[in-house]
Amino acid sequence: MPGWLPRAMVLALALYACFRLGSWAFDQLIGLLTNVLIAFFLALAIEPAVSRMSGRGMRRGLATSLVFLGVLIIGVGFVVLLGSMLAGQIVDMVDEFPKYIDSVINWANQTFRTDLSRVEVQDSLLHSDWLQRYVQNSATGVLDVSTTVIGGLFRLLTIFLFSFYFAADGPRLRRALCSVLPPARQAEVLRAWEIAVDKTGGYIYSRGLMALISGVAHYVLLMILGVPYAPALAVWVGLVSQFIPTIGTYLAGALPMLIAFTVDPWYALWVLGFVVVYQQFENYVLQPKLTSKTVDIHPAVAFGSVVAGTALLGAVGALIAIPAIATLQAFLGAYVKRYDVTDDPRVHGGRRTRRGDPLFLRMRRGLGGRVGAAGSGRSGETGTGDSGTGRATAVRSGTVGSGTAGSANGAPDAAVPRSPAG
């Protein structure tokens, strides 16, 4: 056995153990790393406001606290307003529920020629096995829901704490990061940080603009249908659909449908159809256009980055994919050397087929040269064949002529002198 083989085996086992330990640690810390990533982008989003307030003489920690306090007040007020509205609508729906049951039963009796009554339907529902199983499962699932809510609140608190530290100690964090880099690298890090702040701010602006457009569109629909609490529902749809990725659209559309159902069940279907159509318009028309203007990336790149971010990190990836790709594109764009594009119609999708075009003339000359060469070859072969045929004809003519002359003079053919080689 070679002397280096045991050491190589030990080194391979050590590397494999380190890899497995790193994988296990990454799996355990993936939640924390995701929260830190969200907090970092949230700090970048509020960085312009904090920097503007600190530039006017306010301490950076106090400015960050005021910004977060404003965000917290707006969020809590919005949740309280919608909660009270939703609670009132649920109470009204419970009070009106027997009337809905009667209307549905009357429609079924008239349409299908049945003889149903509300008392029979209620008894069959209350004594059904599936309802009892559903109640039991719901009772056991209350603990799971409570655990999920507590976990979500703890995660939200973690994100806010990290984002507060990133925003309040931003200059100190940048200074600590640059202190371990050479001066050239320090300039690159600071430039990347500035680009990230600009792109994240542009992304938040585009999301806010899309929330405004969505809210106005749904407000017009709800006012036409006569659904109560139309302004609050419009604000709900705009904010939830834009700032909660993946499931935000469904959460945003569920509440207006529920409120519209209390007015008329058919209105709920109208709201559902409008939400679906508007979502398609937003995904394929509005969002790519706005993000390409505010974040300065191509619509196809924006759509692809959202898909890739969702595949990698789920809802969080979909939320931060566009500002991350925009920052990366702007940072790497400084290292790409670009040239002036020639004034060629083919750049704009045209074709150059004019007779005076140099390319056309070169192709024509090349084609004419090939045709001329082929014609010269055929002519040479034909001339050579004709000359040989003429010489053979001349020889045959001379031979025939000599024989004829000999016969005419009365001399036999044997008297004609021949060469020894003949």
Side-chain angles (χ1 to χ4, degrees):
M1 176 185 296
W4 56 267
L5 185 58
R7 293 193 299 270
M9 294 178 63
V10 171
L11 180 60
L13 291 176
L15 291 177
Y16 178 74
C18 292
F19 173 76
R20 296 294 299 176
L21 181 61
S23 300
W24 174 81
F26 181 79
D27 292 337
Q28 297 297 321
L29 297 176
I30 185 64
L32 177 61
L33 296 177
T34 303
N35 293 338
V36 171
L37 185 62
I38 298 174
F40 178 72
F41 275 96
L42 182 59
L44 292 179
I46 66 173
E47 175 73 19
V50 174
S51 299
R52 190 176 297 111
M53 295 173 67
S54 63
R56 296 180 179 180
M58 186 179 297
R59 295 180 56 186
R60 193 173 181 88
L62 180 59
T64 306
S65 301
L66 291 178
V67 172
F68 273 104
L69 182 61
V71 173
L72 183 62
I73 290 175
I74 294 175
V76 171
F78 180 69
V79 171
V80 170
L81 176 63
L82 288 178
S84 61
M85 179 191 66
L86 183 60
Q89 290 297 319
I90 290 176
V91 171
D92 295 340
M93 185 180 295
V94 171
D95 294 337
E96 299 292 333
F97 190 74
K99 296 181 180 179
Y100 297 143
I101 294 295
D102 290 337
S103 63
V104 172
I105 290 175
N106 293 332
W107 176 80
N109 290 334
Q110 294 176 2
T111 304
F112 302 103
R113 306 299 181 181
T114 58
D115 190 14
L116 300 176
S117 63
R118 189 177 67 185
V119 177
E120 294 177 356
V121 174
Q122 289 178 351
D123 291 339
S124 61
L125 288 176
L126 293 176
H127 294 87
S128 60
D129 295 335
W130 68 269
L131 182 60
Q132 296 177 1
R133 290 194 300 268
Y134 177 77
V135 172
Q136 293 175 358
N137 295 331
S138 300
T140 56
V142 171
L143 182 60
D144 297 335
V145 172
S146 302
T147 304
T148 303
V149 171
I150 294 175
L153 292 177
F154 179 76
R155 183 178 183 181
L156 187 63
L157 179 62
T158 303
I159 292 173
F160 269 97
L161 285 176
F162 274 110
S163 60
F164 177 82
Y165 292 143
F166 287 150
D169 292 338
R172 185 184 304 175
L173 179 62
R174 290 190 289 269
R175 190 179 302 111
L177 183 61
C178 292
S179 64
V180 297
L181 298 173
R185 295 286 181 255
Q186 292 178 13
E188 296 298 327
V189 170
L190 294 177
R191 187 174 70 86
W193 194 290
E194 184 179 3
I195 291 173
V197 171
D198 294 339
K199 296 303 180 180
T200 305
Y203 174 71
I204 297 298
Y205 171 76
S206 64
R207 283 291 176 178
L209 187 58
M210 285 191 292
L212 178 62
I213 297 174
S214 176
V216 170
H218 287 84
Y219 173 75
V220 172
L221 173 68
L222 296 175
M223 288 297 295
I224 292 175
L225 297 179
V227 178
Y229 305 104
L233 290 175
V235 174
W236 162 266
V237 172
L239 293 179
V240 174
S241 62
Q242 299 304 321
F243 292 99
I244 298 181
T246 307
I247 62 173
T249 302
Y250 307 104
L251 291 178
L255 185 58
M257 288 177 56
L258 182 63
I259 305 301
F261 186 82
T262 61
V263 179
D264 191 341
W266 290 105
Y267 287 175
L269 295 179
W270 279 102
V271 173
L272 176 61
F274 182 82
V275 167
V276 172
V277 173
Y278 181 82
Q279 187 62 31
Q280 302 305 314
F281 167 75
E282 180 183 283
N283 290 338
Y284 295 101
V285 178
L286 187 61
Q287 178 177 351
K289 293 293 183 181
L290 288 180
T291 52
S292 64
K293 298 296 183 181
T294 57
V295 194
D296 194 19
I297 61 176
H298 193 272
V301 177
F303 181 74
S305 64
V306 171
V307 174
T310 304
L312 293 175
L313 296 176
V316 177
L319 184 63
I320 66 176
I322 293 179
I325 293 298
T327 302
L328 183 63
Q329 176 181 338
F331 180 75
L332 296 179
Y335 299 98
V336 178
K337 187 176 182 180
R338 299 183 182 274
Y339 302 91
D340 294 334
V341 181
T342 58
D343 190 10
D344 195 322
R346 289 170 293 182
V347 176
H348 307 286
R351 298 181 61 184
R352 299 183 63 179
T353 57
R354 299 189 304 270
R355 297 183 63 87
D357 183 25
L359 179 62
F360 179 78
L361 294 177
R362 287 196 299 268
M363 293 176 62
R364 185 175 180 181
R365 292 193 194 102
L367 184 60
R370 294 191 184 94
V371 173
S376 299
R378 287 194 300 268
S379 300
E381 293 173 359
T382 305
T384 305
D386 292 341
S387 301
T389 306
R391 287 193 298 269
T393 305
V395 171
R396 287 195 300 269
S397 299
T399 305
V400 173
S402 301
T404 306
S407 301
N409 295 330
D413 293 341
V416 177
R418 299 181 180 275
S419 61

